[in-house]
Amino acid sequence: MDRTFGIDLAVDPRRTAACAIAWRDGRAHVEDLDAGLDDEALRARLADVHAAGGVAGIDAPFAWPRRFREAIVAHHASRTWPADYRDRRLRYRATDLFVQDECGRRPLSVSTDLIGVTAMRCARLLHEAAADRGAPIDPSGADGVVEVYPAASLLAWGLEPAGYKTGPHAAAKRRRLLDGLLAGGWLALGAADERTCEASDHALDALVAALAARAAQRGLTHPPRTDEQRALAPSEGWIHVPVAGSLDRIAQSDPAREI
């Protein structure tokens, strides 16, 4: 049996959700879908999935753009700043720009948007998980903890995510997305968990994060393509976006490559 774990990370633990999935013989069963998780609870779950040889997917930036980090260091040392202060590489990582090119949807800027605070919580969580393991965790995903982006995963699987988070029809939209994820018949989700995903975009994102972690585990996500992307992924992180049309393939037991 394989296991994957998904976390929809937020600054507020009350808006943080997590999902554990067990995989066996071409089928998947949601074992646990929780919300309101603090760092201690997430740390324990990450330790459990690591002990089981599984993969965890976290919906949060793992690091900051290299050019932004270098600019901060230079500013601290000599109060300088790049002349082109609107340079997009100060705002976006190589992986963010890849996702935009691949999916037509650009992630939020970890250096200039509020998601940067979520990234701070994620950095601390990864530090604590690394301490439990006794070794650093590679932000590129090579150590079984991968950065994921649920909206991009849904798009890759042919499911349009627009409108599922907020608005008068958000719950109905989440129901349609859930139906799309369940259409293949290999994913088992209890009635209570279905209702939770309908009621909460955080719960649905945690489910999608666990599925995207499985795609990464099975070698069904896009790796860095260029020399620059490969060079930057270990320091900037890499969003594991599933390859198009791979949803039903992630349940199969014959991986192309495993991380």
Side-chain angles (χ1 to χ4, degrees), residues 85-101:
Y85 57 87
R86 293 178 297 181
D87 180 359
R88 67 176 188 167
R89 293 306 295 271
L90 289 168
R91 298 182 61 198
Y92 299 105
R93 302 170 294 163
T95 187
D96 300 325
L97 299 175
F98 172 82
V99 170
Q100 181 183 25
D101 292 342

Side-chain angles (χ1 to χ4, degrees), residues 59 95-96 98-107 147-162 164-165 177 205 208-209 212 215 220-222 239-246:
D59 177 19
T95 187
D96 300 325
F98 172 82
V99 170
Q100 181 183 25
D101 292 342
E102 186 67 27
C103 303
R105 191 181 183 100
R106 184 165 59 195
E147 182 179 342
V148 299
Y149 182 19
S153 297
L154 291 167
L155 283 169
W157 294 329
L159 301 171
E160 173 53 57
Y164 82 102
K165 287 186 173 292
L177 290 173
D205 277 346
V208 175
L220 292 171
T221 59
H222 292 284
I239 300 170
H240 285 254
V241 178
V243 298
S246 62

Side-chain angles (χ1 to χ4, degrees), residues 6 31 49-50 52 63 73 76 80 93 102 106 111 115 126 205 241 252 254:
E31 293 184 315
V49 75
H50 176 64
V73 171
H76 175 72
T80 62
R93 302 170 294 163
E102 186 67 27
R106 184 165 59 195
S111 60
I115 198 171
L126 293 177
D205 277 346
V241 178
Q252 298 172 3
D254 52 342

